[in-house]
Amino acid sequence: MSSAKELSSEKTALQSQIKELGDQIRVLKTEKANPDVVKEQVAKLQALKAQLGDDFKMVLKTPKGTRDYGPKAMAIREKVLKIITETFKRHGAETIDTPVFELRDVLLGKYGEEGGKLVFDLSDQGGELCSLRYDLTVPFARYVAMNKISNIKRYHIAKVYRRDQPVMTKGRYREFYQCDFDIAGQYDLMLPEAECLKVVDEVLNSLNLGEFYTKLNHRLLLEGIFSICGIKQSDFKTVCSSVDKLDKAPWLEVRAELVNDKHIDEKAVDALEYYVRLRENNASLGSVELLDLLLEDEKAGSNKQIKQAVDELKILFEYLEIYGVSTRVLFDPSLARGLDYYTGAIYETVMKDFSFNAFTNTDSTNPEDHVTVGSVAAGGRYDKLVGMFLESAGKKKADDVPCVGISFGIERLFSIMEMKEESEKSAGRTNETEVYVASAQKGLLKERMKLCRILWDAGIKSEFAYKANPKMLNQLQYCEDRVIPWVVIVGERELKEGVVKLRNVVSREETDIPYDEIVNELQNRLS
Amino acid sequence: MSSAKELSSEKTALQSQIKELGDQIRVLKTEKANPDVVKEQVAKLQALKAQLGDDFKMVLKTPKGTRDYGPKAMAIREKVLKIITETFKRHGAETIDTPVFELRDVLLGKYGEEGGKLVFDLSDQGGELCSLRYDLTVPFARYVAMNKISNIKRYHIAKVYRRDQPVMTKGRYREFYQCDFDIAGQYDLMLPEAECLKVVDEVLNSLNLGEFYTKLNHRLLLEGIFSICGIKQSDFKTVCSSVDKLDKAPWLEVRAELVNDKHIDEKAVDALEYYVRLRENNASLGSVELLDLLLEDEKAGSNKQIKQAVDELKILFEYLEIYGVSTRVLFDPSLARGLDYYTGAIYETVMKDFSFNAFTNTDSTNPEDHVTVGSVAAGGRYDKLVGMFLESAGKKKADDVPCVGISFGIERLFSIMEMKEESEKSAGRTNETEVYVASAQKGLLKERMKLCRILWDAGIKSEFAYKANPKMLNQLQYCEDRVIPWVVIVGERELKEGVVKLRNVVSREETDIPYDEIVNELQNRLS
């Protein structure tokens, strides 16, 4: 006994040594320590683990930033995806699928200042270098270029991967679903953009999760503004990435970042303020009014890029008016999405004042518990991406393949839906079983199996207890727990009389039905 | 001109140097050359690529062993998945989802002699070491253990990853879908196994892809046979992995591998022959007859493990009889699936004499073109896997959570279905558009948009041309290409009269319908 105890305390010591060393190695890696030092420490760790042998404790968890979906979460996920898929199909879209990893070269240089660092790489185990996809847009452009497609309207629902700092309470994961709808092809101005924004509107209205609006801007408008303010072309990306923070941070903070951290000329930054705060300072103006106000500005009004962007956006608003969605789309010159590949209109949809508290009670006064869900969909025009692939693969491109799309960040929509269902206490079903085959007596297992087979073969969703002699109470309890509406009961009396008993789980009513008619009877009651 | 030519020939030379060096590095890696040598060569390669600059040609392809699914393939995939999902739901299953990668420790040591080498690892970019999932079974067991679930019947349809040598013609990829149906919980003998085999039968019958049968064996029976032949317990896995090749290779080849390569005692191997060729040498016997024949053997009949396995399998066949599937399940003592975690019944479903030719014409006489699809589903009982996770995480396990399941390798089913549809020339639709809004005259873009909006808002799947002034012929051609059944035509005359023209694409009949009644009219015609 005592020696077993000694052994066990030895084990505990080893285990805590392992934990400590593991933490140290993680720190070394984060600090990009000398690889040889890291290697040495890892070897030590492995030796310790080997010493512990079979007693090495594994942590039972999913990797950082990922989650399992249990049956309840899946039921919600399927409900959300069904609404989205139906909308995409209503607009004539086809669907495609691409591999979860791409050649590393395909993803390289597509995701701007921040994004590039967040790509998950596969280990070099010999052969090609690959990375997990970061979004569905770049694989789509690769697919269009590779198959020499000149036009396609497709949707793609799949997981993407980002080595971001996960914030589970905001629904921000390292593995998350995207739902993309894109229109590729040479089409007339702003027609595909208008349809993308109509799709957003239909999806969010059908989901019925609360008020939302879409911020709209244009790449050329940003370029024009930066240029009239005297910001160098080469600083475009880095200035965008700061300006894009204006929805979360005050101007002074963004200004400080631009001037102090990024060494942008102070005068240029101060000139920029007027334009990027135009929406903020004219909250009551409609989108077209704000576009007109911008044109009234002497410098802006005479800039070619700004002029073109304003003209295009005005056409878009005309179309949005026809589609009945213009009041939920707001021109905002501070929207500056950080992806390299956008060339025209860009947009981002946010839930209005949506704050929630996923893990504690909703009465919490800690502001950290109330977080804004923020952006639930985003997209824009990217006319050069397919051509870039064609060129870098050395293919002649007959024509550009201009593209425009919208991507739903549905992890956030799932989170909102989950909370909503929880607060409404609506117990969603996680299976679809229609009939449970039960018996009150012993020795009727095979009779239950026989009956269940008849129901399955007739296409009726059925179950029975995997026990030779289950208790009646347990069988009925199972039906109530699982919200199964009907029970078919087989017993000796019933068998003798050639009937089965049909029980309604909710009303508890029971009726004898001739054995041969039970399929028909159930099909009638279920339809 | 001449200098441009020189430049271009210089480029070509560089490019071929890059290709050559790339090939050399791949060889070095495969041969596990000194890492420093490899590093040196990679540095050289990168220098060459930099020299080439923007002219470096990217290969436009998906990673080795992966594929895109275009709209046609997706339509087939969705058809197959719908049938499988409906079957799973008919048997009361819920669904879950797990991350595409797991902590490396979770997958370690679960996939036998061959499988372990084929796991895809993620790069160590700091933080946890992760690998792509190799199957859905181990993540399921991890999920059950982590959430302390005592019983669940779940299905999971998702992609898994294996660094195998891909054989596209056989539908063998490095990224492929699995569809798993598993029953976890303490239940009475063979009831869940019988239901898994019933599910296989229902799925393959519904898919209607040809004849199939399921080979059935039992882990204990294999252990018993090996033991009476004098094969050491420690050789169990490696002997299994050879025996499992008997469906593709003749006995003498397997014998040679066992005796010469794996140094198994020759006498033991010769004793083994009788048992593992029992099915082959008694092709006309039914499963229960073959089980009885095995028991008649003096040594086998008195072995406890064999006795238990035979008893269990006989009960299973009784249940399969009730479910009407026993004739398509065949006891075969040579089935020895290579996964470590099986503890009881194991099974594998194969398409009978299914040969096909995916990429060339079907008249080919080259036998390499006609390949057998082979296994389309497989599974078995694994009673210890959940407990293993609980133990290695240092959790007390109150009870074991026994599991049994079936996994469909649907990539092969997709391939068969694709060929079948191709040979039947059945043009499956890739979108679901019901109505196309067209016009014959110029200047009616906004009228088409207005009408389309009305249809979308009424839930009718509609499209129109993204052109200001499309030609009528092109619009009608689009409908024929896309198999869209109805066209609504708007024109100046129609607008004046307050009507639209409704055209049936197939019959070309046209009728005027009052503008306000078009939604009702279409809903009636579409229902």
Side-chain angles (χ1 to χ4, degrees):
Chain A
M1 187 62 202
S2 142
S3 82
K5 213 172 176 182
E6 261 168 49
L7 201 70
S8 135
S9 90
E10 214 173 89
K11 263 187 219 168
T12 318
L14 253 174
Q15 275 163 347
S16 62
Q17 256 182 290
I18 288 174
K19 207 196 150 302
E20 209 172 296
L21 192 52
D23 289 341
Q24 282 171 17
I25 292 172
R26 263 183 292 278
V27 171
L28 285 172
K29 281 182 185 167
T30 327
E31 291 170 350
K32 300 207 185 304
N34 181 332
D36 291 335
V37 175
V38 176
K39 236 184 231 170
E40 200 179 297
Q41 297 299 314
V42 170
K44 254 192 217 166
L45 180 69
Q46 277 163 347
L48 285 178
K49 281 187 185 177
Q51 222 176 310
L52 197 55
D54 286 341
D55 292 320
F56 165 59
K57 266 193 202 172
M58 199 179 82
V59 190
L60 215 48
K61 65 185 278 295
T62 63
K64 182 177 177 181
T66 68
R67 63 177 283 199
D68 292 321
Y69 283 84
K72 262 196 188 162
M74 283 300 281
I76 291 170
R77 188 171 109 177
E78 292 196 341
K79 205 185 287 177
V80 172
L81 290 183
K82 188 163 177 269
I83 287 174
I84 294 179
T85 314
E86 274 170 4
T87 308
F88 292 164
K89 286 184 176 171
R90 194 158 56 242
H91 288 263
E94 309 172 303
T95 186
I96 70 160
D97 193 21
T98 62
V100 87
F101 49 85
E102 294 276 346
L103 295 181
R104 202 163 295 166
D105 285 343
V106 167
L107 305 188
L108 230 67
K110 310 291 192 302
Y111 297 115
E113 200 177 50
E114 310 287 327
K117 300 174 204 154
L118 304 181
V119 171
F120 268 104
D121 291 331
L122 287 188
S123 255
D124 180 3
Q125 295 170 285
E128 303 158 338
L129 292 181
C130 299
S131 300
L132 298 186
R133 61 182 163 212
Y134 179 90
D135 67 5
L136 302 176
T137 309
V138 169
F140 172 60
R142 192 263 308 145
Y143 170 82
V144 170
M146 187 173 134
N147 295 285
K148 301 189 189 71
I149 293 165
S150 61
N151 60 73
I152 183 172
K153 179 154 58 174
R154 82 90 180 78
Y155 69 90
H156 188 183
I157 299 179
K159 287 174 175 176
V160 302
Y161 299 87
R162 299 185 185 178
R163 292 187 63 257
D164 222 332
Q165 198 51 42
V167 187
M168 314 300 218
T169 46
K170 287 195 191 184
R172 198 208 289 164
Y173 294 91
R174 290 182 153 195
E175 171 183 65
F176 58 98
Y177 266 88
Q178 279 195 342
C179 288
D180 280 24
F181 172 92
D182 290 78
I183 301 172
Q186 294 274 6
Y187 297 121
D188 283 345
L189 209 60
M190 293 295 145
L191 286 168
E193 280 87 342
E195 188 152 342
C196 287
L197 292 170
K198 170 74 170 142
V199 163
V200 173
D201 206 75
E202 287 180 21
V203 165
L204 290 173
N205 276 321
S206 307
L207 287 174
N208 192 24
L209 297 172
E211 279 189 79
F212 60 90
Y213 68 97
T214 301
K215 291 188 265 183
L216 175 69
N217 200 4
H218 196 296
R219 164 97 181 218
L220 286 183
L221 197 134
L222 280 170
E223 284 185 6
I225 286 175
F226 290 7
S227 135
I228 60 177
C229 293
I231 291 166
K232 275 180 288 180
Q233 184 111 43
S234 56
D235 287 329
F236 180 77
K237 284 184 209 174
T238 193
V239 173
C240 273
S241 127
S242 297
V243 167
D244 200 43
K245 293 174 186 162
L246 274 176
D247 55 346
K248 292 170 215 105
W251 167 252
L252 283 179
E253 211 170 283
V254 170
R255 184 187 185 282
E257 182 178 291
L258 284 168
V259 174
N260 305 336
D261 305 347
K262 301 192 170 173
H263 308 293
I264 308 296
D265 175 51
E266 200 163 350
K267 264 192 203 154
V269 174
D270 285 332
L272 189 65
E273 181 182 0
Y274 169 75
Y275 300 104
V276 296
R277 299 182 76 181
L278 203 62
R279 164 54 62 203
E280 190 186 332
N281 292 328
N282 296 277
S284 64
L285 288 189
S287 292
V288 176
E289 290 168 309
L290 200 66
L291 286 166
D292 284 333
L293 183 67
L294 183 61
L295 281 194
E296 281 165 25
D297 179 85
E298 203 184 319
K299 275 190 185 161
S302 57
N303 177 282
K304 252 176 90 177
Q305 287 172 299
I306 295 178
K307 189 77 184 27
Q308 186 188 335
V310 169
D311 285 349
E312 291 190 4
L313 292 179
K314 278 183 160 182
I315 294 175
L316 179 53
F317 274 104
E318 239 183 288
Y319 294 163
L320 294 178
E321 182 82 35
I322 295 176
Y323 287 161
V325 304
S326 61
T327 54
R328 288 180 293 280
V329 179
L330 214 60
F331 165 59
D332 186 342
S334 74
L335 177 72
R337 306 203 55 228
L339 298 176
D340 288 357
Y341 48 67
Y342 288 119
T343 56
I346 50 177
Y347 32 80
E348 185 171 302
T349 306
V350 292
M351 300 302 294
K352 222 170 189 168
D353 308 318
F354 200 97
S355 73
F356 75 91
N357 166 344
F359 293 106
T360 57
N361 74 76
T362 40
D363 302 327
S364 166
T365 52
N366 179 353
E368 278 294 296
D369 287 343
H370 294 279
V371 287
T372 307
V373 172
S375 158
V376 292
R381 174 163 286 285
Y382 50 104
D383 284 350
K384 304 288 178 201
L385 195 54
V386 174
M388 215 157 110
F389 278 114
L390 289 171
E391 268 175 294
S392 63
K395 298 247 158 68
K396 250 193 264 171
K397 38 174 197 161
D399 279 305
D400 262 328
V401 184
C403 299
V404 61
I406 179 78
S407 173
F408 290 88
I410 49 175
E411 230 66 37
R412 291 173 176 181
L413 296 174
F414 296 157
S415 297
I416 303 175
M417 191 72 117
E418 268 179 348
M419 276 182 313
K420 200 183 155 208
E421 299 224 332
E422 209 161 290
S423 71
E424 288 169 1
K425 301 236 184 299
S426 58
R429 291 194 66 177
T430 58
N431 69 22
E432 297 180 7
T433 307
E434 298 161 324
V435 180
Y436 197 80
V437 177
S439 76
Q441 290 126 346
K442 289 189 175 184
L444 291 176
L445 170 63
K446 290 184 187 170
E447 290 300 333
R448 283 186 286 133
M449 295 174 79
K450 217 152 92 183
L451 205 49
C452 220
R453 179 205 165 176
I454 291 170
L455 300 181
W456 286 330
D457 290 352
I460 296 169
K461 296 166 188 155
S462 318
E463 288 187 84
F464 69 95
Y466 299 133
K467 297 267 177 192
N469 299 307
K471 292 199 178 106
M472 194 60 192
L473 206 65
N474 292 346
Q475 296 173 81
L476 294 178
Q477 189 58 50
Y478 185 91
C479 297
E480 295 204 358
D481 292 349
R482 298 304 186 96
V483 205
I484 299 172
W486 297 101
V487 185
V488 173
I489 300 169
V490 59
E492 271 157 29
R493 177 196 59 89
E494 286 84 0
L495 283 173
K496 225 173 275 168
E497 295 175 17
V499 298
V500 291
K501 218 189 291 174
L502 180 59
R503 179 186 169 108
N504 181 310
V505 173
V506 175
S507 70
R508 303 187 180 185
E509 265 173 85
E510 295 185 343
T511 335
D512 277 357
I513 309 287
Y515 198 101
D516 295 341
E517 287 169 27
I518 186 65
V519 166
N520 270 333
E521 183 68 30
L522 281 168
Q523 277 167 341
N524 287 336
R525 300 211 182 198
L526 289 166
S527 69
Chain B
M1 187 63 202
S2 144
S3 85
K5 211 173 176 181
E6 260 169 47
L7 201 71
S8 136
S9 91
E10 215 172 89
K11 262 188 220 170
T12 317
L14 253 175
Q15 274 163 349
S16 63
Q17 255 181 289
I18 288 174
K19 207 199 148 301
E20 209 173 295
L21 190 53
D23 289 342
Q24 281 171 16
I25 292 172
R26 263 184 291 280
V27 172
L28 285 173
K29 279 181 185 169
T30 328
E31 290 171 349
K32 301 207 185 303
N34 183 333
D36 291 334
V37 175
V38 175
K39 238 185 229 169
E40 200 180 297
Q41 299 298 315
V42 169
K44 258 192 214 164
L45 180 68
Q46 277 163 346
L48 285 177
K49 281 186 184 178
Q51 224 176 308
L52 197 54
D54 286 342
D55 291 321
F56 166 60
K57 267 194 202 172
M58 200 180 82
V59 190
L60 215 48
K61 65 186 279 292
T62 63
K64 182 176 177 183
T66 67
R67 64 178 283 198
D68 291 320
Y69 283 84
K72 260 196 191 164
M74 283 302 279
I76 290 170
R77 187 170 110 177
E78 290 195 342
K79 205 185 287 178
V80 173
L81 290 184
K82 188 162 176 268
I83 287 174
I84 294 179
T85 313
E86 274 170 3
T87 308
F88 292 164
K89 286 184 176 170
R90 194 158 56 243
H91 288 264
E94 309 171 304
T95 187
I96 70 161
D97 193 20
T98 63
V100 86
F101 49 83
E102 294 276 345
L103 294 181
R104 203 163 294 168
D105 285 343
V106 166
L107 306 187
L108 229 68
K110 309 291 192 304
Y111 298 115
E113 201 177 48
E114 310 287 326
K117 300 174 205 154
L118 305 181
V119 171
F120 268 104
D121 291 330
L122 288 188
S123 254
D124 180 4
Q125 296 170 283
E128 303 157 339
L129 292 180
C130 299
S131 300
L132 298 187
R133 62 182 163 213
Y134 179 90
D135 67 4
L136 302 176
T137 309
V138 168
F140 172 58
R142 193 264 308 144
Y143 171 82
V144 170
M146 189 173 134
N147 294 286
K148 301 191 188 70
I149 292 166
S150 62
N151 60 72
I152 183 171
K153 179 154 58 177
R154 83 89 180 79
Y155 70 89
H156 189 183
I157 299 179
K159 286 174 176 176
V160 301
Y161 299 86
R162 298 185 184 176
R163 293 188 61 256
D164 222 331
Q165 199 50 42
V167 188
M168 315 299 218
T169 46
K170 287 195 189 184
R172 198 208 288 165
Y173 293 92
R174 289 182 155 194
E175 171 183 65
F176 58 99
Y177 265 88
Q178 280 196 341
C179 289
D180 281 24
F181 172 92
D182 291 77
I183 301 171
Q186 294 275 4
Y187 296 122
D188 283 346
L189 210 59
M190 293 296 144
L191 286 168
E193 281 87 341
E195 189 152 343
C196 287
L197 292 169
K198 170 74 170 144
V199 163
V200 173
D201 206 75
E202 287 180 22
V203 165
L204 290 173
N205 276 321
S206 307
L207 287 174
N208 192 24
L209 297 172
E211 279 189 81
F212 60 89
Y213 69 97
T214 301
K215 290 188 266 184
L216 176 69
N217 200 5
H218 196 296
R219 163 96 180 219
L220 286 183
L221 197 135
L222 280 170
E223 284 187 5
I225 285 174
F226 290 8
S227 135
I228 60 177
C229 293
I231 292 165
K232 276 180 287 179
Q233 186 112 42
S234 56
D235 288 329
F236 180 78
K237 284 183 207 174
T238 192
V239 173
C240 271
S241 127
S242 297
V243 166
D244 200 43
K245 293 174 184 160
L246 273 176
D247 56 345
K248 292 171 214 103
W251 167 252
L252 283 179
E253 211 170 285
V254 171
R255 184 186 185 282
E257 182 178 290
L258 284 169
V259 174
N260 305 335
D261 304 349
K262 300 192 170 175
H263 309 294
I264 308 296
D265 176 50
E266 200 165 348
K267 262 193 203 152
V269 175
D270 285 333
L272 188 65
E273 180 183 1
Y274 169 74
Y275 300 104
V276 295
R277 300 182 74 182
L278 202 61
R279 163 54 61 205
E280 190 186 334
N281 292 328
N282 296 277
S284 63
L285 287 190
S287 292
V288 177
E289 290 169 308
L290 200 67
L291 285 166
D292 283 334
L293 183 67
L294 183 62
L295 280 194
E296 280 166 25
D297 178 86
E298 203 183 322
K299 275 190 186 163
S302 57
N303 177 283
K304 255 174 90 176
Q305 287 172 298
I306 296 179
K307 191 75 184 28
Q308 186 189 336
V310 169
D311 285 348
E312 291 189 3
L313 291 179
K314 278 184 160 181
I315 294 174
L316 179 52
F317 274 104
E318 239 182 290
Y319 293 162
L320 295 178
E321 182 81 36
I322 294 176
Y323 287 161
V325 304
S326 61
T327 54
R328 287 179 293 281
V329 179
L330 215 61
F331 166 58
D332 185 343
S334 74
L335 177 72
R337 305 203 56 229
L339 299 177
D340 289 357
Y341 49 65
Y342 287 120
T343 56
I346 50 178
Y347 32 80
E348 186 172 302
T349 305
V350 292
M351 301 301 294
K352 222 170 190 167
D353 308 318
F354 200 98
S355 73
F356 75 92
N357 166 349
F359 294 105
T360 57
N361 74 73
T362 39
D363 302 328
S364 166
T365 53
N366 179 355
E368 278 294 297
D369 287 344
H370 294 278
V371 287
T372 308
V373 172
S375 157
V376 291
R381 174 163 286 283
Y382 50 103
D383 284 350
K384 305 288 179 199
L385 195 54
V386 175
M388 215 157 114
F389 278 115
L390 290 172
E391 267 175 295
S392 62
K395 297 246 160 69
K396 247 194 264 172
K397 38 173 197 162
D399 278 307
D400 263 328
V401 184
C403 299
V404 61
I406 179 79
S407 173
F408 291 87
I410 50 175
E411 230 65 38
R412 290 172 177 183
L413 296 174
F414 297 157
S415 298
I416 303 175
M417 191 73 119
E418 269 179 347
M419 277 183 312
K420 202 184 154 206
E421 300 224 333
E422 209 161 290
S423 70
E424 288 168 3
K425 302 236 183 298
S426 59
R429 291 193 66 177
T430 57
N431 68 24
E432 298 179 7
T433 307
E434 298 161 324
V435 179
Y436 197 79
V437 178
S439 75
Q441 290 126 347
K442 289 190 174 185
L444 291 176
L445 170 63
K446 289 185 188 170
E447 290 300 335
R448 284 186 286 131
M449 294 176 80
K450 216 152 91 183
L451 204 49
C452 221
R453 177 204 166 177
I454 292 170
L455 300 182
W456 286 331
D457 290 352
I460 296 169
K461 296 166 187 153
S462 317
E463 288 187 84
F464 69 96
Y466 298 133
K467 297 266 177 193
N469 300 307
K471 293 199 179 107
M472 193 60 191
L473 206 66
N474 291 346
Q475 295 173 80
L476 293 178
Q477 189 58 50
Y478 185 91
C479 296
E480 293 204 0
D481 292 348
R482 298 304 186 97
V483 206
I484 299 172
W486 298 100
V487 185
V488 173
I489 300 170
V490 59
E492 272 156 29
R493 175 194 62 87
E494 286 85 358
L495 283 173
K496 224 172 275 166
E497 296 176 15
V499 299
V500 292
K501 218 189 289 175
L502 180 59
R503 178 186 168 108
N504 181 310
V505 174
V506 175
S507 72
R508 302 183 180 189
E509 266 173 85
E510 295 185 344
T511 335
D512 276 359
I513 308 285
Y515 198 102
D516 295 341
E517 287 170 26
I518 186 65
V519 166
N520 270 333
E521 183 68 30
L522 281 168
Q523 277 167 341
N524 287 336
R525 299 212 184 197
L526 289 166
S527 68

